[in-house]
Amino acid sequence: MNATIKSIPSKFTVVNFTANYKAHFNASLNVAIWTVIAAAFALLTLSAIFTSLTGPDYLYIQGDMSLTQFWQLYSGLIATVGFLLTYGCTQLVTINKSYWKVYFMNNVEVIYKGEKLDLNCYELRMYDKGKFIIAKNNQQIDDFIFQLNNVS
C-alpha cells in the first residue's frame, strides 16, 4: 500500500487500509487466544459471584475439603482473582488493537516529492477510517485539523 502527498502537513487516504488492518488484526492468533481466555475468566468470575450471593450461610467441613466446599468457602476470593485476570486479558486484547501505527509504518509507503518518507521523523494521526494526517509535530496536526474544520 502506498500514498502520495503533495505537501506537509497533508491529509491523505490509504485505500483499503482499514479492511487490511482488520484482516491482519483478526488473523492474529494472540488476540483470539486472549479473547477466549478473558471469556473463560469472566464466566469463572460470574459463577463465583453467583455462588457468593446464593451459597450457604454456614459451611461444615469434616476431614478433607471437597471442590464444592472450597468453591463455597473462597467464592469471594475466586471472584476477585477472576475479575483481575479478566481485566488483564481484555487489556492485552486492547493493546493489540491499538497498534495501527506500527502496522501503518510497516505496510504503507508515503511518497513525497518522489521519495519515500521516513515516518519516524513525522507525526501521524488517523483522521477518519483510512484517512490520515501527517505533519512534523502534533501542533501542526492540530492546526491543520482546525483549518480543515473551518473550511468545511
Side-chain angles (χ1 to χ4, degrees):
M1 293 184 285
N2 61 19
T4 303
I5 59 174
K6 295 180 181 179
S7 65
I8 296 178
S10 181
K11 177 182 164 188
F12 61 95
T13 302
V14 178
V15 180
N16 293 329
F17 177 81
T18 305
N20 290 340
Y21 178 65
K22 282 184 180 179
H24 171 76
F25 176 75
N26 289 336
S28 174
L29 184 61
N30 289 341
V31 173
I33 289 172
W34 287 117
T35 303
V36 168
I37 292 172
F41 284 135
L43 287 173
L44 176 92
T45 302
L46 291 175
S47 64
I49 290 171
F50 181 75
T51 301
S52 180
L53 295 175
T54 61
D57 291 334
Y58 299 101
L59 191 61
Y60 297 103
I61 300 172
Q62 293 178 345
D64 292 336
M65 190 181 329
S66 69
L67 180 61
T68 304
Q69 291 171 332
F70 180 84
W71 188 266
Q72 290 171 338
L73 186 61
Y74 296 111
S75 61
L77 180 63
I78 293 168
T80 303
V81 170
F83 174 77
L84 292 173
L85 292 172
T86 302
Y87 179 76
C89 290
T90 55
Q91 289 301 307
L92 288 172
V93 170
T94 304
I95 287 170
N96 284 333
K97 282 185 177 180
S98 65
Y99 281 125
W100 69 266
K101 201 175 237 182
V102 173
Y103 179 79
F104 185 96
M105 293 178 127
N106 290 333
N107 296 294
V108 178
E109 290 183 356
V110 178
I111 309 297
Y112 176 59
K113 294 184 180 179
E115 295 183 15
K116 181 182 171 186
L117 279 181
D118 179 13
L119 296 175
N120 293 320
C121 301
Y122 295 92
E123 292 295 325
L124 185 68
R125 190 176 300 173
M126 189 180 292
Y127 185 69
D128 198 9
K129 291 183 179 178
K131 295 180 182 175
F132 302 91
I133 296 177
I134 191 168
K136 292 188 179 195
N137 55 42
N138 280 321
Q139 183 62 43
Q140 277 189 341
I141 291 177
D142 292 337
D143 294 342
F144 190 72
I145 291 173
F146 182 75
Q147 290 174 354
L148 287 175
N149 291 336
N150 285 336
V151 170
S152 302

